[in-house]
Amino acid sequence: MAWNLDSDRPIYAQLLERIQLQIVSGTYGPGDKLPSVRELAAEASVNPNTMQKAFAELERSGLIVTRRTSGRFVTEDKEMITQIRTQLAKEEALSFIEKMKELGFEKKDILALLSAVAEEPAEQRRERA
């Protein structure tokens, strides 16, 4: 199934973010072998050169490593993965806070709303969404 990519942003950046998210969320664990560029490109319905560009950037960051003749693997550096996961979470939180402030919420209101929503049963949250 094709990945849901947005035409407003560079495709390779979205691919990079998607693979990064799959790594920090545990879809691909430390030391796991990644599918080939061609396999992931076919899955995402993108040109393999575009996927290669995303892989190259992930390799530059150290999140994935290439082993000659064996393929690409997720780093075994669990601390790096945790740091990236924390950084992504902070970015999401900052984006959320900015949007809430644009809606006129103050810090105490944002915290109260988050607390109330977090206490709701998951089924109730899904029904409202």
Side-chain angles (χ1 to χ4, degrees), residues 54-113:
F55 268 48
E57 189 61 35
L58 288 166
E59 195 162 359
R60 261 193 296 283
S61 75
L63 195 55
I64 66 173
V65 294
T66 299
R67 297 186 191 142
R68 286 191 86 117
T69 70
S70 298
R72 289 185 173 90
F73 295 80
V74 175
T75 182
E76 292 186 19
D77 185 346
K78 292 177 185 175
E79 186 176 319
M80 173 191 276
I81 294 170
T82 299
Q83 287 174 349
I84 292 171
R85 182 175 183 239
T86 300
Q87 182 59 38
L88 292 173
K90 284 181 181 179
E91 290 170 9
E92 287 294 321
L94 287 171
S95 175
F96 172 76
I97 290 168
E98 288 301 315
K99 288 177 184 174
M100 295 300 287
K101 285 182 177 179
E102 287 175 12
L103 290 172
F105 285 87
E106 293 183 18
K107 180 182 174 182
K108 64 179 177 50
D109 300 322
I110 296 169
L111 292 172
L113 179 63

Side-chain angles (χ1 to χ4, degrees), residues 8-89:
D8 294 341
R9 298 178 39 236
I11 300 298
Y12 90 92
Q14 294 176 69
L15 297 172
L16 182 148
E17 290 168 2
R18 172 85 178 252
I19 297 166
Q20 193 177 51
L21 181 63
Q22 290 174 330
I23 292 170
V24 301
S25 69
T27 301
Y28 299 118
D32 283 356
K33 186 177 189 322
L34 294 169
S36 72
V37 167
R38 289 196 181 282
E39 289 173 312
L40 278 179
E43 181 182 319
S45 298
V46 298
N47 185 305
N49 292 332
T50 306
M51 185 62 74
Q52 175 59 40
K53 186 174 181 181
F55 268 48
E57 189 61 35
L58 288 166
E59 195 162 359
R60 261 193 296 283
S61 75
L63 195 55
I64 66 173
V65 294
T66 299
R67 297 186 191 142
R68 286 191 86 117
T69 70
S70 298
R72 289 185 173 90
F73 295 80
V74 175
T75 182
E76 292 186 19
D77 185 346
K78 292 177 185 175
E79 186 176 319
M80 173 191 276
I81 294 170
T82 299
Q83 287 174 349
I84 292 171
R85 182 175 183 239
T86 300
Q87 182 59 38
L88 292 173

Side-chain angles (χ1 to χ4, degrees), residues 106-127:
E106 293 183 18
K107 180 182 174 182
K108 64 179 177 50
D109 300 322
I110 296 169
L111 292 172
L113 179 63
L114 281 173
S115 180
V117 170
E119 295 300 319
E120 290 178 357
E123 305 84 42
Q124 193 174 356
R125 287 192 306 264
R126 277 192 291 270
E127 287 173 5

